[in-house]
Each structure stands twice: as C-alpha cells, then as structure tokens.
Amino acid sequence: MSKKISGFSKFSKEEKLNWLAENYFKNNVKAVEVIKQYWNVDEKLQQLHDDFIENTISNFYMPMGVAPNFVINNKEYAIPMVIEESSVVAAASLVAKFWSTRGGFKTTVLGTTKIGQVHFMFAGNKDDLITYFNKNKTELYTATASITKNMEKRGGGILDIQLVDKTDKLDNYYQLHITFETKDSMGANFINSCLEAIANSFRNDEIEIVMSILSNYVPECLVRAEVSCKIEDLGGKNPQKFAEKFCQAVKIAAIEPYRAVTHNKGIMNGVDAVVLATGNDFRAVEAGVHAYASRNGTYTSLSHCEIKNGMFKFWIEIPLALGTVGGLTALHPLAKLSLEMLQKPSAKDLMQIMAAAGLAQNFAALRALTTKGIQHGHMKMHLQNILNQLGATDLEKETIETFFEGKTVSHSGVVSKFEEIRKAKTTWVNFTDKVGLKDLLSSLKADAKPVFGKMTGQQMIEHLSFLIKISNGKIKADYFVEDEKSLRRKAFLDTDNELQIGFKAPLLSEEPYPVKFDTMEKSIDDLLLQIDTFQTHFKTAKIENHPFFGKLDYEYWKKFHVKHFTHHFKQFKLV
C-alpha cells in the first residue's frame, strides 16, 4: 500500500501524528506517547515553537549547559552551550579557568563585511556590459533605498557593488558581487531583499538573471582569539616539552587534511554550541568556516601555535557571520536568555565570545591528545551515557563508576562489567538470622563512611531499627497510600530487584537523624531486639502500614526488610 499523502501540511498536529503512527511506527501507541511527552504544557509557548518550521509534530530537546570562568578582554563571562556531546562543556570550563589566571583570552574583530551575489548570463560584448553596469550603478543603489534606510541609520548598508567576469569558468557567466555591513543583524533577509531589488533593476533583454542570494562564505567577516603565557606558566612536569608537542600537533593539522578536519571539528564543538544557544544559524557558520579552512586550495587548521622567546602563543582566526537582533534570537525564549547571560553582546562581541569558546575547546582537545590521550577524559564523561543506554540502576552505576576509577573507560569494558554485575546473584541479607547479622555488623565502625548516601555506620543501624519499629506498630506511619498505588508498588517486593540509591520513605528527613544511643553496641542490641519484637508482633497483628508501599502483612514486611537490610549493608560494603 502506498504511503504517499496529499494535503499533509493542512492536517492538524494530532492528525499528522496519527498518520505517522499508522504508517511508520511499529509500536504506534508508544511512539505517540513519546512524541507527546516533549510537547510544552504551555500552549502559547508550544505554538511559538510550532511556528518556527513547517509540519511540526513535537520538540527535539538538546541539553543546554554553561561554561563559566571565561575571561575575554578582561571581562568575565559564563557562556551558554547547547550540545549533545559529552565532555565539551566540561573541557571548555576547565580551559576557561586555566587561562583566567594567565591573562585570559584576547580577541579582536578583523572585519564584519558580508557578501551577496546576483548571478546572471550575458552572451553579448563584454565592453557593452561594463558600460551598462557603470552607467546604472547609481541606480542599483537607489533601487534598494527603501530597504537600506533603517540599516544605514545603524551604520550599515551596501558598501560596494562590483561586476565580476566568470566566463573563464562558465560560458557567459557574470555576477554582481555586493559587499554589505549588517551591524548586529545576521542580515540574511536584508541582504536577499537588497539583491532581488538590484537584480530587478539590472536586468534587461540581454541579461538573464539566474538567481540572487547571499553567500555564507564570509572571509572578511573575521575574528581573532588568542591566549599566551610564559612557557613555565603552562604548568605540569615538563612545560617546555608540552608546549613543543602541542605546537607539533597544530602543525600536523596545518599540513594534513585528514587530521585538519577532526582538528577543526573540535573547534566547532565550542563554536556551534554557542551558535545554537544564541539562536544563530550553525549550518551557515559551519559552511563558511570550512570553506575558509580551504581558501588556499588545501583544507588546513583554523588555529595556529608559536613558541618564541620563552612564550607560548595559541590563536585562531575564524569567519563568523552572526546576529544578536532579529530572527530566532528575538523569538526563542532560551536564545534571548542566552544573550542576556552573555550581557547583551553586540554582533562583534558575540563573534569574539564564540571564537574564544572555539579556541578553548581546541586547546582542551590538543592538551588531552598530546598528554594522556583524548579517550581518557572523553570516555569518563561518556560513562554515564553508556550506563543510561544499558538501563543500569543507580546502584549498578555507583558500582561501575567505582570500578573504573583510575582506569581507562571503554564502551566494551563498561558493557562487560555491567553484564558481570547483572549475572551475579544478589546476596540477600537474612535479617531474622541474628547470629549471622551480628557477625556481619562486627566489623562496622560507628563513624564508618558509606559508599553512597550521608549516614554513618551507627546512623544506618538505627535507621534500620526505625523502619522495623514501624512494622512493629511502635511508630505509626500515617501516610495514606491509595490501593491502586499500593498494589503497583507491592509488586516490586515480589521481584528480585534491589532498592534504588536515593529511595526514601516519605516520613524520613533529607538529612540523617542524630544517633539515639551513646555506643554502637547499644544500637546493634536495639536492632536485634526490634527484630524479635517484629516476629512476636505478627503472631497477633495482621497488617501494618508502610509509608510508601501501603498496608503490608507479615510476608510483605519480611520482603521489604530483606531488601532494605541488603540495600544498607551494601552501602557499607558488608555484603
């Protein structure tokens, strides 16, 4: 059956979603549920996002982080970054702090002009075309007067119009090459409107206009960012060796395109993250930057390094056509807040901030590559992503993180350890075996520190007693749990799953309670007493209320205590 459809754009969002579910999703109920989870509950805000593009069905979230401690031209910044790749924000933050005590980033805008072109075909005499152009050049400016009026008030507008002969590349092909200044606006709509007006004024019976469009190649919209310090101030065991190796890595990227592409991708990790956060066009920026990296006929590094007279200098020159007014920057609430976080920068300021972010990211990557290797830090940050993909519990995460401390993290290594943990059966604590229980607790110190959580060893013992007292009826847990919730939660007690790290009954405080007894021995004796009382209590009692699981009988209370004791004994590595 054909999946072609007519009038899709006229469907409501619900109708679009239902059609997709029926035709493209295997588990269509779950697919629709996931897509709707990302709808904003604020209908007005959701409508704003729906109107950004066409045929919207949901929002696609990206993490938004902050890299603090940037010092750029002696001004402090916290830089917003939107990116899905782990380690980028952390690396930028660390490098920002590193250079903040070494003079910070020094940045300069080298140019802000942008380019637009009218592409046309002309088969006649070139001299006639030149004469026609020179005669009508003033009229071309006049044709845009109504468009450029407001831009000119801000100091922008059309700077120059040139006739360019491209017939050596393509028969009969010429262009009007037009230079613009758009101030704090990225200027795409402004430039394209001007180009269309110029094309309409320029065309005649012999000139065939092919198209009029701005260029995202902006080699004269350029910014420079630099860091420098004395070599000994780089720190480490051998700063001279580090500086030399670092510069060698930059020189390799300058002459080897295979390395240069990855080198520059790292720079764009920092740049693009800020481009996205501020509502600018990362695709235009990427295209312009990589074209600039190839401007001399070979793809090369965007950054440079120099060691001279005992000084280390690292810098970047990069084309960035950006805006801080208009477009998405004026519509997206988070883009507006990002610009406010950056202290409401002009387009020039934003160019310098992004260049510094790109240079910081490049420094971080090269420092890692030339010392302990890029994967050490990257995979450490990536560990959480791997564990989330595997569906690891909090306790499993804690165990695996501890295991990989001081080790190199690899995806296969994490999977192997995870599978090993999952295969191992849980050693459940038999809390009714008082002899065995006392033996396990004999090595526990009153002030022992936990693997997770905040309690000391003695606080943990008294915490277990407290929960047994609830099951004994000595402490009333007057928390009403609906039957439906109780039934659903009690099902967990029938499984082999362990209590998650962070599980807390509603009546408990965030901080551990102070100890009740003056010695550890007395706390343990009280625990054993409460266990005896628990057994005796349920010879006559039928149920006691649990503040989370609801009404539990003897068997369910036993299941809970087994899980609870096991959870806390693992907290102190007793099992």
Side-chain angles (χ1 to χ4, degrees), residues 258-365:
Y258 281 91
R259 171 59 199 141
V261 170
T262 309
H263 178 95
N264 291 344
K265 185 268 182 185
I267 292 171
M268 299 313 291
N269 276 346
V271 172
D272 282 345
V274 190
V275 173
L276 280 168
T278 56
N280 275 274
D281 186 346
F282 77 92
R283 299 159 304 279
V285 168
E286 281 275 348
V289 164
H290 295 300
Y292 185 78
S294 304
R295 66 193 180 282
N296 295 323
T298 303
Y299 191 91
T300 187
S301 166
L302 291 162
S303 61
H304 314 276
C305 186
E306 179 183 83
I307 299 173
K308 189 175 181 181
N309 298 326
M311 294 292 293
F312 170 87
K313 184 166 74 171
F314 182 49
W315 73 97
I316 190 172
E317 289 185 3
I318 186 170
L320 293 172
L322 307 170
T324 56
V325 297
L328 204 63
T329 60
L331 289 174
H332 199 296
L334 287 177
K336 289 192 284 187
L337 284 174
S338 290
L339 290 170
E340 184 178 345
M341 190 189 305
L342 293 172
Q343 302 163 70
K344 299 183 178 178
S346 64
K348 283 186 176 181
D349 294 333
L350 191 56
M351 289 171 69
Q352 295 172 84
I353 291 166
M354 285 189 193
L359 189 65
Q361 194 59 38
N362 195 210
F363 182 86

Side-chain angles (χ1 to χ4, degrees), residues 200 205 255 449 571:
N200 288 331
D205 291 342
I255 58 97
K449 301 298 181 186
Q571 183 183 17

Side-chain angles (χ1 to χ4, degrees), residues 217-230:
Y217 183 43
V218 286
E220 294 178 3
C221 191
L222 204 61
V223 59
R224 176 189 174 103
E226 175 185 312
V227 288
S228 63
C229 68
K230 292 179 180 179

Side-chain angles (χ1 to χ4, degrees), residues 522-539:
K522 289 180 181 178
S523 295
I524 293 173
D525 288 343
D526 181 64
L527 175 64
L528 300 176
L529 174 63
Q530 300 310 323
I531 292 170
D532 282 338
T533 306
F534 170 73
Q535 304 281 40
T536 305
H537 179 69
F538 270 98
K539 287 180 179 179

Side-chain angles (χ1 to χ4, degrees), residues 199-218:
N200 288 331
S201 177
F202 190 66
R203 73 173 73 243
N204 63 25
D205 291 342
E206 294 182 85
I207 293 173
E208 180 188 357
I209 304 295
V210 178
M211 56 185 169
S212 308
I213 188 70
L214 89 161
S215 173
N216 290 128
Y217 183 43
V218 286

Side-chain angles (χ1 to χ4, degrees), residues 382-402:
H382 193 50
L383 178 58
Q384 281 299 320
N385 287 343
I386 300 172
L387 293 173
N388 287 335
Q389 289 170 7
L390 293 171
T393 65
D394 287 343
L395 187 57
E396 287 167 341
K397 288 178 182 178
E398 188 80 32
T399 303
I400 293 171
E401 285 167 5
T402 302

Side-chain angles (χ1 to χ4, degrees), residues 51-189:
D51 291 342
F52 287 159
I53 61 168
E54 308 76 35
N55 292 342
T56 51
I57 59 169
S58 193
N59 308 305
F60 191 96
Y61 287 179
M62 294 276 279
M64 181 177 181
V66 177
N69 298 318
F70 271 87
V71 176
I72 304 172
N73 294 339
N74 300 318
K75 187 175 180 179
E76 295 178 349
Y77 290 92
I79 297 182
M81 304 180 82
V82 172
I83 190 168
E84 86 298 342
E85 185 175 332
S86 59
S87 83
V88 170
V89 178
S93 301
L94 286 171
V95 169
K97 190 171 184 180
F98 176 87
W99 283 107
S100 70
T101 59
R102 294 164 175 81
F105 295 82
K106 304 301 179 187
T107 58
T108 310
V109 173
L110 304 177
T112 57
T113 56
K114 297 162 188 173
I115 301 300
Q117 296 169 320
V118 176
H119 305 270
F120 66 94
M121 312 304 286
F122 177 76
N125 185 285
K126 180 181 176 180
D127 290 339
D128 292 342
L129 179 63
I130 293 171
T131 300
Y132 177 75
F133 170 73
N134 290 332
K135 181 181 178 182
N136 291 281
K137 188 173 182 179
T138 302
E139 294 301 317
L140 299 182
Y141 284 100
T142 304
T144 65
S146 62
I147 304 169
T148 60
K149 181 173 60 176
N150 289 333
M151 184 66 75
E152 287 171 353
K153 288 179 181 177
R154 300 198 297 271
I158 298 173
L159 303 181
D160 190 25
I161 304 176
Q162 296 178 350
L163 175 66
V164 180
D165 182 353
K166 290 283 186 176
T167 55
D168 61 327
K169 304 289 185 184
L170 179 66
D171 288 346
N172 304 326
Y173 170 44
Y174 294 85
Q175 62 182 228
L176 296 180
H177 188 86
I178 305 161
T179 308
F180 293 86
E181 170 59 63
T182 60
K183 305 306 287 183
D184 287 337
S185 169
M186 191 275 173
N189 290 332

